[in-house]
């Protein structure tokens, strides 16, 4: 982790505090990510993948690897001392990768995601001088892709296969899953 990236950002207007995750946060972050994407709890929000994937979204080893990887950050978002969201930022040359984005299902739909992605983009520019943000989204998630498009991301048409048979990424309920690369230029 870059030492310059360990500063916390407190946005008083929103009551949110942004900080880098530590290994002590692993269990809390796994629970948050799982609740946002899988199982019945995820249905309280709109980002659920419960209709296309069963099983896990991540695990403690995967979250720990992101936290400990050089050039990677797991940005943790707190409100009133409680973790309410997170996202991964990874430095990849002239661009940053955005992933592992999760907002507590009870707080989805209220504009929190917009604030978090804007802060992630700001930090990628400030910390690494990133000129673009890249992400991959499951291509059948049209509502989620449309949300990212409203934030300035564009579909590239570049796809990569879903890791069928690797249950670390979930158990597919469909046979047409793949990831699509979305890109945004960072001014």
């Amino acid at each position: 982790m870059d030492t310059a990236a360990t500063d916390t950002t407190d946005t008083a207007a929103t009551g949110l505090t942004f900080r880098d995750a530590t290994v002590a946060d692993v269990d809390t972050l796994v629970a948050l990510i799982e609740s946002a994407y899988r199982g019945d709890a995820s249905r309280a929000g709109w980002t659920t993948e419960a209709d296309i994937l069963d099983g896990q979204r991540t695990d403690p080893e995967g979250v720990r690897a992101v936290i400990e990887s050089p050039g990677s950050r797991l940005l943790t978002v707190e409100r009133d001392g409680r973790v309410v969201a997170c996202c991964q930022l990874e430095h990849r040359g002239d661009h940053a990768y955005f992933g592992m984005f999760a907002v507590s299902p009870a707080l989805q739909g209220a504009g929190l995601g917009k604030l978090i992605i804007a802060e992630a983009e700001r930090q990628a520019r400030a910390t690494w001088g990133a000129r673009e943000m890249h992400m991959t989204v499951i291509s059948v998630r049209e509502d989620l892709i449309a949300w990212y498009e409203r934030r300035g991301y564009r579909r590239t048409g570049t796809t990569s296969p879903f890791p069928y048979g690797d249950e670390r990424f979930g158990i597919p309920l469909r046979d047409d899953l793949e990831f699509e690369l979305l890109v945004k230029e960072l001014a």
Side-chain angles (χ1 to χ4, degrees):
M1 173 173 22
D2 292 328
T3 54
T6 59
D7 295 334
T8 59
T9 302
D10 186 3
T11 54
T14 63
L16 300 177
T17 301
F18 294 82
R19 64 173 176 81
D20 286 333
T22 67
V23 172
D25 296 312
V26 167
D27 291 340
T28 299
L29 292 169
V30 169
L32 169 70
I33 294 163
E34 293 299 310
S35 74
Y37 289 96
R38 302 290 162 77
D40 288 335
S42 70
R43 294 181 191 282
W46 69 273
T47 61
T48 184
E49 294 174 343
D51 294 327
I52 61 172
L53 290 159
D54 205 358
Q56 70 180 31
R57 174 70 155 72
T58 192
D59 56 31
E61 293 76 25
V63 172
R64 188 176 297 106
V66 170
I67 292 170
E68 294 177 340
S69 177
S72 180
R73 305 172 62 188
L74 190 51
L75 195 59
T76 302
V77 185
E78 295 179 335
R79 178 181 279 161
D80 300 324
R82 197 176 106 242
V83 174
V84 297
C86 67
C87 64
Q88 172 191 10
L89 293 173
E90 185 177 313
H91 186 210
R92 296 184 178 177
D94 65 347
H95 71 275
Y97 178 80
F98 179 84
M100 212 176 275
F101 187 28
V103 175
S104 172
L107 300 175
Q108 291 178 18
L112 192 58
K114 293 177 201 174
L115 297 172
I116 294 165
I117 198 166
E119 178 63 13
E121 292 166 358
R122 187 195 70 75
Q123 289 198 27
R125 282 189 311 269
T127 304
W128 299 314
R131 297 192 327 235
E132 289 183 336
M133 187 77 86
H134 292 199
M135 70 173 72
T136 55
V137 178
I138 297 173
S139 63
V140 298
R141 296 290 319 276
E142 293 294 336
D143 55 343
L144 185 58
I145 291 171
W147 186 86
Y148 284 121
E149 287 178 316
R150 290 190 300 274
R151 311 278 93 64
Y153 287 81
R154 65 177 170 75
R155 298 180 88 157
T156 64
T158 302
T159 61
S160 56
F162 185 86
Y164 283 92
D166 188 344
E167 291 188 8
R168 291 177 303 158
F169 300 96
I171 302 167
L173 302 175
R174 308 170 50 145
D175 63 1
D176 61 345
L177 302 181
E178 63 183 357
F179 295 106
E180 182 171 354
L181 176 66
L182 305 183
V183 175
K184 179 179 180 179
E185 289 187 31
L186 302 178

